Amino acid sequence: MRKLVALPVLSADALSSVAYGPEAMLAVLVLAGAAGLSYSLPIAVTIAFLMLVVGLSYRQTIRAYPHGGGSYIVAGDNLGLLPGLAAAGGLLIDYVLTVAVSIASGIAAITSAIPSLAPATVPLGLAVMALLFVGNLRGVRQAGVLFSAPTYAFVLAMFALIAGSLVDAAGDGFAARATPPTPATESLGVLLVMRAFASGATAMTGIEAISNAVPAFRPVRWRNARTTLTWMTGLLVTLFAGVVAIVHLRGIVPRTGETVLSQLAHLTFGSGPLYVFVQAATAAVLLLAANTAYNDFPRVLFLLARNGHAPRVFLRQGDRLAFSNGIALLSAAAALVFVAFAGKTNALIPLYAVGVFLAFSLSQAGMVVHWRRVRTRHWRKSLAINATGAVLSVLVLITAAITKFTAGAWVALVAIGLFFLLATRIRHHYRTAGAALRLRPGAVEAAGAPGIAPVPPAPAPVSARPEAVRPDGRGGEAEAEETPESFHHLAVVTLAALDLAGLRALAYAASVRQPTLAVHISPSEEEAQRFRDHWDQWGDHVPLHVVLSPYRAIVAPLIHYIEALHRQNPGLTITVIVPEIVTRRLRHRLLHSKDAARLRRALRPLPGIVVTSVPFHVP
């Protein structure tokens, strides 16, 4: 992407937090009345300084990881497996809450302009989530002017709002107006100030997005990414500080039924077109921020699944090249959180800071270890910056966890703990299953099949984009076989990996003494070559055909292949033999492929095709 496109697309999450971060801070301070609100400027200055430090820290991350360095990758590479999983848990919670908080804040912007819609907050939010869910399943992607416009419109609206408010304030000699009478419900103390700081710090969410997406930039990628991050950090600090400053000057306090930005826009522009523009731009950028999580959440799950810490179903892309399983899980989790907290932004904020700053802390700590290990040019300066970012992020994390524990932070902490436990148990099961499936000397000889009949020629390779498969019965003549002699067989053994389960399926096919063909679906030519090398090493008793599926789909390309094979040899009865992992415990079945059942359902309408599974039992 060009920098002018990358800036709005990758900054939407961070910049949109200006819509709720300052208000979250003020909502805590107002509990102590006018005395509490007097601390808004010092706290805002502290948060702005934190934004600058964390932005500089991620500039170092981009330099060290020019191919993209998310918190999970950085923490895992430098701190080890368990900190990496903790960072991944924080990221996943962050993305779920990004959807819930962004949509809640976006709906609040709409209901501030149209109060009659306020009772429908939860249904409206769920409708927006459903729209994002369906759109992302259909393959919606962040690209071009379409996704740049809401962010640029929001930035323009904020600058217009800040400028207009400053012009009005100049007429008062920049003297702060008195706030409406706000009776104190809590005493002013360190704990309340810390709570306000932790709430306001949620305005930093999304600041790491550019470091995750370095490969998306035009060359020189790392340099363009650092420049974009610098611009984003500058805009974020300016907008955040500007909004807090004009709120202070205009004497505005949070109130039920209307957001702080809506109050500012009403006071500055009245109820005319400029007010509508501010509210519409705010709602649009918040919905765009929610959509960014639909790109990042499935990607983190993909990385976890690749490393064996999440079910392997999250490795697969759907027919529209989207990670549909990850998208579905994100939508379900975000909808559950949104409904549980009645779509109220202030109720969701306490959950938000924990996941965000856990990922920040572990990422920056990982970078400190990285610089101590590699000691490249200017490593001491980079180490100092990342160490400062790590210390400040840890302080915010501890502050949020302590001060907001009873307000909802415990939910995020419990969720991260459960994820950590679940990920380690999944990894343990995959390691146990892998040991049971691992090839042993002499295993392939047992699967050898001397004397197997010749195999008909295979169809042309299939490597196109997978499409939805709708078997319609075509591909063979009417089934008229009535005697054993009228059947002519071909066994097609599908192999995801060369392991004991695959060899058992090959041995079963060999035992019937019929022509046999092995088929492997590979996501890349490199992986295909590795599989061929293993195949040659362990025996090459059966002809092998590799089908390339660069989008990691398995069932659709396999069905296309079998249909083509059947059209080429219409007189054959094709038996598709699928190795099937069978586990002792019901909960472990979710971690293994259901390809046999999916193939059976998809191929049932076609004549002359039989699907059978060969079970292999693992602990």
Side-chain angles (χ1 to χ4, degrees), residues 455-475:
V455 177
V462 178
S463 60
R465 165 179 167 171
E467 298 177 354
V469 178
R470 302 179 183 275
D472 55 8
R474 293 178 297 179

Side-chain angles (χ1 to χ4, degrees), residues 103-272:
I103 290 178
S105 189
I107 297 299
I110 295 172
T111 56
S112 294
I114 312 175
S116 60
L117 294 178
T121 293
V122 172
L124 284 173
L126 293 178
V128 172
M129 288 186 192
L131 184 63
L132 291 174
F133 170 63
V134 173
N136 280 277
L137 281 184
R138 297 291 296 175
V140 170
R141 282 293 180 267
Q142 294 178 337
V145 177
L146 176 64
F147 287 96
S148 303
T151 306
Y152 279 131
F154 177 73
V155 171
L156 179 62
M158 290 301 99
F159 275 120
L161 183 60
I162 293 169
S165 297
L166 289 176
V167 169
D168 290 345
D172 298 331
F174 292 103
R177 293 183 182 178
T179 59
T182 49
T185 58
E186 291 188 24
S187 60
L188 179 63
V190 174
L191 193 62
L192 185 135
V193 172
M194 291 172 64
R195 280 168 52 198
F197 171 72
S199 294
T202 56
M204 295 173 56
T205 58
I207 204 169
E208 81 289 352
I210 292 175
S211 69
N212 297 341
V214 178
F217 284 83
R218 288 182 176 179
V220 177
R221 291 183 172 84
W222 67 269
R223 184 174 297 143
N224 288 331
R226 280 167 61 105
T227 302
T228 305
L229 177 60
T230 301
W231 275 100
M232 183 194 76
T233 305
L235 281 172
L236 179 59
V237 170
T238 302
L239 294 181
F240 178 83
V243 168
V244 174
I246 61 176
V247 167
H248 174 74
L249 289 172
R250 307 309 297 273
I252 288 176
V253 297
R255 69 187 187 199
T256 303
E258 186 175 12
T259 65
V260 165
L261 285 184
S262 176
Q263 293 181 60
L264 277 172
H266 260 138
L267 193 60
T268 305
F269 302 128
S271 299

Side-chain angles (χ1 to χ4, degrees), residues 442-533:
V444 176
E445 284 74 6
I452 288 180
V455 177
V462 178
S463 60
R465 165 179 167 171
E467 298 177 354
V469 178
R470 302 179 183 275
D472 55 8
R474 293 178 297 179
E477 301 298 328
E479 296 166 299
E481 297 90 341
E482 297 177 353
T483 63
E485 293 78 11
S486 61
F487 281 91
H488 302 282
H489 289 278
L490 171 64
V492 177
V493 182
T494 64
L495 297 174
L498 191 57
D499 52 23
L500 290 180
L503 293 187
R504 176 171 290 183
L506 286 168
Y508 173 81
S511 69
V512 299
R513 303 287 176 175
Q514 295 294 334
T516 301
L517 174 67
V519 178
H520 171 68
I521 308 295
S522 177
S524 66
E525 186 58 50
E526 293 78 10
E527 197 278 338
Q529 189 55 51
R530 282 196 297 270
F531 190 89
R532 293 188 189 98
D533 293 341

